[in-house]
Amino acid sequence: MPSQRRTVLALTGALLAGAAGCLSDNGNGDSDDDGESGNGTDADGSDDPANGSNGDDFPQVDPVTDPDIDTGALAQQVRGNIDFSLAVLEQLREDDPESNLFLSPYSISVALAMTYAGARGETAAEMADALRYNLESDDLHAAFGALEAEFERRNEDGAEVDEPYGMEGEASEDDLGFELSSANSVWAEADFPFDEDYVDLLEAYYGAGERLVDFSGSPDEAREEINAWVEEQTNDRIEELLPEGSVDSSTRLVLTNAVYFLAAWEHDFDPAETEPATFTGLDGSETELELMHQSEELEYAAMDGHQLVELPYANGETSMVVILPADGEFEAFEESLSTDQLGELLEETSRPQVDLALPKFGLESEFSLVETMDALGMERAFGSGADFSGMLEGDDGGLFISEIVHQSFIEVDEEGTEAAAATAVAMDESAPADHVEVTVDRPFLFYIRDLPTETPLFWGRVVDGETLQDE
């Protein structure tokens, strides 16, 4: 990975190497002059009523399919995305510091960016601070639109996947292929006075297909329709994003994002070399886990006893970064980890022969993020003083965020990685050496990133081995 590309992690406002070519051009040499962006169609690729719509959607606008955004502005927001990833991870681990965590901060940020588009005044200011939005509103939505379109381009370039990837070795690397998708949708109360400009913005920048539902009369039916859409977008991995009671007759709007990732390793692990070993948890407990083994030239860095190793996926544009803090220093390292420190580690990488031992693992998490975002400073959005007047016709407010739910899933084995996540925002009416070893047998952090844009797609922490390999 070129050093210049990594610079965005360490320097505010640094340019992403190579980003201009892939984010202002979709491969045909054309680019828009109006600076708008988006992924172009309904999230399900159609406005067919059979695909989750009742056929009575908001008026559609012409999508913007050739994002054109200054790479410096994009780099600023990518840095903000990384800052937010670390902030939300820190907030969540405070509630249960000895538990594993897995989430998609990208999914959370996109769902709340669509919500932020309708926020005004102090509500908008608090959301921008909490979410680490570093750009003015127009540039922010253009940046997210550019990322969404770039991921769609990445997915189109990857191999198609006909069947869900299983963890028992029944899929070959060719079958595994590559898939990266991010889909958005807006579920609105029929006849509620949503502003057409707001709806058009979500369509243009986020490709968010709008669906009119009857929250006031049939809230549970609407909830089930949303959950079915999320399940389809995540290849059946997120089955019930909105639990019972999360949507009721006072709900007027639900904004959803679903991310799905499936990729084979560039260097797969030989299952014959997988063997049991002891994993020591944060609390000192020992668990026997299956550790995969490989010896390859990999991006690797060591600093003050902390180790970082990067495992590329076969498509060449995504990777998993595993960070193994020095023995006995996990908590101190995790508390001090910053975007700049991460950038420093990445800047130190070289490519020695790495003898890597990594657990096979699977994680699932689900959160209500209302308290988390409130603790990060996003307070007004949840109360009667919320100002989301930008969503509505006229000057009347009356909407507030009643719930933010997030679910995530990951499985990692010898062949690759499958991960999925979804976020819903419900709105109610108010009321190095030449040869090194890395043995991941103690608490570690990891994240999956998109290399050309440096966007962190998923983040996780593993501190307890008990549930990692449950059958």
Side-chain angles (χ1 to χ4, degrees):
M1 180 180 58
S3 173
Q4 187 179 5
R5 180 178 291 159
R6 293 193 296 265
T7 305
V8 68
L9 294 170
L11 300 174
T12 303
L15 298 182
L16 278 167
C22 62
L23 291 174
S24 62
D25 190 327
N26 71 349
N28 59 12
D30 298 328
S31 64
D32 278 354
D33 294 326
D34 57 10
E36 292 181 332
S37 59
N39 61 13
T41 62
D42 281 357
D44 58 5
S46 168
D47 58 4
D48 186 342
N51 289 331
S53 168
N54 63 7
D56 190 21
D57 292 344
F58 286 107
Q60 300 297 299
V61 298
D62 291 335
V64 179
T65 55
D66 292 331
D68 183 11
I69 182 173
D70 177 80
T71 52
L74 181 63
Q76 274 190 281
Q77 188 48 48
V78 168
R79 181 182 174 89
N81 292 347
I82 299 169
D83 288 341
F84 175 69
S85 300
L86 297 176
V88 73
L89 195 67
E90 177 183 5
Q91 196 62 48
L92 287 169
R93 74 170 180 258
E94 287 184 3
D95 296 333
D96 197 352
E98 295 189 356
S99 292
N100 301 324
L101 286 174
F102 182 66
L103 66 150
S104 172
Y106 179 77
S107 176
I108 298 167
S109 197
V110 169
L112 284 168
M114 293 192 292
T115 313
Y116 170 74
R120 298 293 183 266
E122 289 299 317
T123 301
E126 286 185 353
M127 290 185 72
D129 287 344
L131 291 158
R132 278 47 172 187
Y133 292 160
N134 293 331
L135 302 174
E136 296 297 325
S137 182
D138 288 348
D139 284 342
L140 175 81
H141 300 304
F144 276 115
L147 288 172
E148 291 282 285
E150 175 66 3
F151 297 157
E152 179 64 21
R153 195 269 315 163
R154 193 97 72 253
N155 190 47
E156 289 173 354
D157 290 348
E160 291 187 4
V161 180
D162 295 326
E163 297 293 336
Y165 171 49
M167 297 304 294
E168 300 303 321
E170 68 270 22
S172 70
E173 179 173 321
D174 290 338
D175 292 331
L176 182 57
F178 176 81
E179 184 173 353
L180 170 59
S181 62
S182 176
N184 304 303
S185 193
V186 180
W187 310 79
E189 173 73 11
D191 301 323
F192 200 73
F194 289 104
D195 183 80
E196 187 172 333
D197 289 342
Y198 172 69
V199 175
D200 288 352
L201 183 151
L202 298 185
E203 171 64 23
Y205 288 103
Y206 299 93
E210 301 81 29
R211 292 151 172 85
L212 301 183
V213 292
D214 185 11
F215 287 122
S216 58
S218 303
D220 207 54
E221 182 178 330
R223 181 184 68 87
E224 291 176 355
E225 186 177 350
I226 296 169
N227 284 342
W229 179 88
V230 170
E231 185 173 355
E232 180 180 1
Q233 299 299 324
T234 59
N235 215 354
D236 302 331
R237 290 305 189 179
I238 308 295
E239 295 183 349
E240 190 172 3
L241 175 64
L242 290 167
E244 289 187 15
S246 58
V247 170
D248 58 30
S249 59
S250 63
T251 301
R252 295 293 174 263
L253 184 69
V254 174
L255 303 108
T256 51
N257 169 271
V259 179
Y260 182 74
F261 177 82
L262 181 70
W265 300 118
E266 181 177 320
H267 313 289
D268 58 353
F269 294 81
D270 184 351
E273 296 183 5
T274 299
E275 56 187 16
T278 300
F279 182 94
T280 304
L282 190 62
D283 62 357
S285 61
E286 296 184 346
T287 307
E288 186 175 277
L289 297 181
E290 296 290 313
L291 262 61
M292 309 178 294
H293 293 265
Q294 67 172 230
S295 183
E296 298 285 348
E297 288 188 6
L298 299 171
E299 295 289 340
Y300 170 85
M303 183 182 295
D304 300 326
H306 312 306
Q307 293 177 295
L308 178 150
V309 62
E310 182 170 13
L311 285 72
Y313 292 105
N315 77 313
E317 294 185 312
T318 51
S319 68
M320 176 183 286
V321 177
V322 176
I323 305 168
L324 184 67
D327 196 8
E329 297 182 26
F330 178 86
E331 291 170 298
F333 177 88
E334 187 180 35
E335 288 176 5
S336 67
L337 182 61
S338 66
T339 304
D340 288 337
Q341 185 179 7
L342 181 59
E344 290 174 8
L345 274 169
L346 291 171
E347 285 288 349
E348 291 297 317
T349 59
S350 59
R351 289 183 63 84
Q353 189 82 10
V354 177
D355 292 339
L356 175 65
L358 179 73
K360 296 169 57 173
F361 65 91
L363 295 172
E364 294 184 49
S365 296
E366 56 183 89
F367 312 100
S368 169
L369 294 171
V370 171
E371 291 185 4
T372 300
M373 296 309 303
D374 182 88
L376 289 176
M378 204 176 93
E379 301 175 359
R380 285 178 174 81
F382 302 111
S384 58
D387 182 357
F388 288 101
S389 56
M391 296 180 176
L392 306 173
E393 293 180 354
D395 297 328
D396 292 337
L399 291 179
F400 67 95
I401 297 176
S402 59
E403 182 61 282
I404 306 171
V405 291
H406 181 78
Q407 287 189 29
S408 53
F409 158 93
I410 188 170
E411 287 190 354
V412 175
D413 77 351
E414 290 90 348
E415 294 181 53
T417 302
E418 182 181 20
T423 307
V425 181
M427 306 199 69
D428 284 7
E429 189 177 7
S430 57
D434 291 337
H435 196 97
V436 298
E437 293 185 5
V438 180
T439 300
V440 187
D441 60 356
R442 58 182 188 269
F444 65 96
L445 303 170
F446 68 94
Y447 73 102
I448 295 173
R449 63 174 177 161
D450 179 71
L451 290 173
T453 67
E454 291 291 358
T455 299
L457 299 168
F458 300 90
W459 261 98
R461 74 192 297 259
V462 175
V463 297
D464 177 10
E466 288 288 341
T467 60
L468 283 186
Q469 296 177 359
D470 287 349
E471 297 295 331

